[in-house]
Amino acid sequence: MVIETRSPEETFETGRKLGEKAVPGQVFTLMGDLGVGKTVFTQGLARGLGIQEPVSSPTFTIVQVYEEGRLPFYHFDVYRIGDVEEMDEVGYDDYIMGDGVSLIEWADLIEEILPEKRTEVRIEKDLEQGFDYRKITIRELGR
């Protein structure tokens, strides 16, 4: 599925709609260059899960846990990870195999340990379409 958005609010809404439909154990992998709106999308997904507190990228902690929504939300940012083995140290498998919803930013950096069954989200810019234009491609893998 490909969704085109033309504002940060539309990107947020795309995430929110996915969050509303998310099920226990669902894993989202999020890819895109710096500044494409990954955090805005993630904030929308969290809102769709019923999370009201501010959501920011956990760049220096690898994972941020939010538990006050309808499902626990595990937000990973693996941009600064040096080695895939660091994921064991944060309890990656426990989160991914748990009953919450996981979202992994920069997921392509840990591709070898991603679950086969996941929802892949790729966000891309196209400046010819306008500064706020985003192409969001969503694919269900391993289903």
Side-chain angles (χ1 to χ4, degrees):
M1 166 190 328
V2 175
I3 298 169
E4 297 179 290
T5 65
R6 301 199 178 272
S7 70
E9 294 80 14
E10 288 181 8
T11 299
F12 180 95
E13 278 300 303
T14 301
R16 186 187 61 76
K17 289 175 184 172
L18 283 177
E20 287 177 345
K21 296 175 185 174
V23 298
Q26 188 164 6
V27 176
F28 291 89
T29 57
L30 183 55
M31 290 158 285
D33 292 334
L34 284 169
V36 296
K38 291 185 299 294
T39 299
V40 170
F41 175 89
T42 300
Q43 290 167 338
L45 188 107
R47 185 63 51 89
L49 288 168
I51 295 165
Q52 299 299 315
E53 72 179 275
V55 172
S56 60
S57 206
T59 302
F60 296 103
T61 59
I62 299 180
V63 64
Q64 184 71 33
V65 177
Y66 302 89
E67 294 184 335
E68 83 278 3
R70 68 178 177 82
L71 294 169
F73 179 47
Y74 312 123
H75 179 198
F76 292 86
D77 183 330
V78 299
Y79 183 71
R80 298 194 191 290
I81 191 168
D83 189 302
V84 168
E85 291 175 8
E86 287 179 51
M87 297 304 287
D88 287 336
E89 295 171 21
V90 299
Y92 172 76
D93 286 337
D94 294 333
Y95 291 118
I96 297 299
M97 301 303 191
D99 291 332
V101 173
S102 298
L103 180 137
I104 307 165
E105 289 189 48
W106 300 100
D108 47 330
L109 298 176
I110 61 165
E111 192 157 350
E112 61 267 31
I113 63 168
L114 293 175
E116 189 175 309
K117 183 178 175 183
R118 63 187 186 264
T119 304
E120 182 182 271
V121 179
R122 183 173 302 277
I123 304 177
E124 300 169 282
K125 286 183 181 182
D126 182 350
L127 293 177
E128 290 182 14
Q129 298 275 345
F131 181 76
D132 288 326
Y133 171 87
R134 300 294 184 268
K135 175 182 168 187
I136 303 172
T137 305
I138 303 166
R139 297 185 329 149
E140 299 294 333
L141 301 176
R143 299 199 188 257

